[in-house]
Amino acid sequence: MHWVIQQSIFKPGNYQLLVNALDTLGISYTPVAIPNGTFDMAPDVNPAGKVYVCGAIKLARIARDKGWVPGSFLNENFKFDIWLAQLGSRLLNHDIESGTLADVRSGHLAKFFIRPAEDNKAFDGMVMDSDTLADWRRDPAKAHLQKIDVVVSPVKAIYREYRLFIVNREVVTGSVYRIGGRAEISPDVEDDVLDYARSVIDTWTPAQSFVMDVGLTEEGLKVIEFNNINSSGFYAINVPKYVDAIQTHYG
C-alpha cells in the first residue's frame, strides 16, 4: 500500500517520525503539498493499488475523489452531537451549550471550554472567557469563524490526558500528553486507561480506525474527544506500531 503524506499539517518532528517509520518498514510514500486556497495536490500522484493518506480535510476530499482505498477515515461521525448521543455522560463535556460562534450562550460561565462541533480544525479547543469570545466576535480576521458550529461547556479539572491510536477497533499504541494541565508526554499508558478505551470501543466507534483522547478526572476516566487518525499528532506514541498496524490491516 502506498502512503501519501501532506507535509504542512505535521510538525517537523512528527513528520520525521512518520517517514522514518515508513522507511524502516520499507513502505512506499509520496510527500505532497496542497497550496492554500486550492484543492490541487503537488505533485498530483496517482499510485496503483491501495493508498492511505496522512493529511487534513482537503487531502481526505482528494482521496475520496480519486477513489483511494482506504484513503481517509474521516466521515460524518466526527461531530460532537453524535458523540454525545452515543456516549452520554461518558463524554467529558456532556453538559454543553451549542450554537454558532456568533450566538452560542456563554455568559452564565466565568470561563468555559469551547471547540468546533466538528473535527474540522477551524480552531483548537481551548479555555476562554466571555470577554475573549466577544473580542473574537468583533475581530474582522475571525469573520470566517462566526457561522461555525461550536460547543461550550464548563471547565473541568483533568489530571492526566491520553491519546490512543485505534486501528481496526484495537488500541495499538498510546501516549500521555498532558499532566495537571501542563504539556508532558510519555509512552507509558496505564492498563486501566487501555481497558476503559476498550470498553468505549465495545460501545461505539466513529470509524473502524480513529484516535481517542481520554482524560482522568475527579469523576474517573472520560472521553475528551475523537480525532481522525489520518491527521492526528503523535505525541509519544510508538509511530512504527501505528504504521505497521495500518499497513497490516488495510494494505
Side-chain angles (χ1 to χ4, degrees):
M1 181 168 68
H2 191 82
W3 291 49
V4 174
I5 307 168
Q6 183 181 350
Q7 295 169 286
S8 61
I9 74 155
F10 290 104
K11 294 179 180 178
N14 278 342
Y15 176 80
Q16 199 59 51
L17 286 170
L18 181 57
V19 298
N20 286 350
L22 291 165
D23 286 336
T24 299
L25 295 168
I27 298 169
S28 63
Y29 62 93
T30 303
V32 299
I34 304 175
N36 288 337
T38 78
F39 283 90
D40 300 323
M41 184 174 58
D44 184 19
V45 295
N46 292 282
K50 294 184 176 180
V51 180
Y52 179 74
V53 301
C54 295
I57 291 173
K58 286 184 178 181
L59 188 55
R61 176 174 164 178
I62 290 169
R64 181 198 64 203
D65 291 346
K66 286 180 176 287
W68 286 344
V69 176
S72 171
F73 289 97
L74 185 65
N75 63 48
E76 292 300 313
N77 287 329
F78 289 93
K79 294 180 181 178
F80 193 91
D81 58 340
I82 294 177
W83 309 341
L84 183 59
Q86 295 292 336
L87 298 181
S89 61
R90 299 184 78 172
L91 199 61
L92 174 67
N93 294 312
H94 60 275
D95 47 350
I96 65 162
E97 298 280 347
S98 59
T100 65
L101 184 72
D103 63 20
V104 69
R105 191 173 80 98
S106 64
H108 59 299
L109 299 169
K111 289 189 175 182
F112 49 88
F113 178 78
I114 185 169
R115 56 152 290 156
E118 295 186 42
D119 183 17
N120 57 19
K121 310 301 181 188
F123 62 90
D124 292 333
M126 67 186 76
V127 174
M128 186 180 284
D129 58 36
S130 293
D131 288 342
T132 303
L133 180 57
D135 290 340
W136 277 41
R137 287 169 170 168
R138 289 190 294 264
D139 186 352
K142 292 183 170 58
H144 64 291
L145 298 177
Q146 301 307 314
K147 293 184 179 180
I148 288 179
D149 290 325
V150 300
V151 294
V152 164
S153 64
V155 176
K156 311 289 197 314
I158 309 176
Y159 307 129
R160 295 173 72 89
E161 297 174 56
Y162 305 84
R163 171 153 293 183
L164 305 172
F165 274 61
I166 291 95
V167 176
N168 195 35
R169 294 174 55 86
E170 292 194 7
V171 182
V172 297
T173 182
S175 169
V176 176
Y177 65 89
R178 192 173 288 122
I179 299 176
R182 301 183 308 275
E184 188 168 337
I185 66 171
S186 166
D188 299 322
V189 177
E190 295 87 349
D191 287 344
D192 62 330
V193 176
L194 300 176
D195 289 340
Y196 175 78
R198 294 182 187 111
S199 74
V200 174
I201 292 167
D202 288 342
T203 301
W204 179 82
T205 64
Q208 191 178 54
S209 295
F210 59 97
V211 167
M212 183 194 310
D213 288 351
V214 172
L216 176 61
T217 76
E218 60 187 356
E219 296 179 353
L221 293 166
K222 298 282 186 179
V223 175
I224 299 173
E225 63 182 4
F226 298 102
N227 293 287
N228 177 29
I229 197 169
N230 302 80
S231 56
S232 294
F234 300 138
Y235 297 113
I237 72 159
N238 186 315
V239 178
K241 275 190 176 181
Y242 153 59
V243 171
D244 185 58
I246 290 289
Q247 192 74 13
T248 297
H249 287 291
Y250 302 107

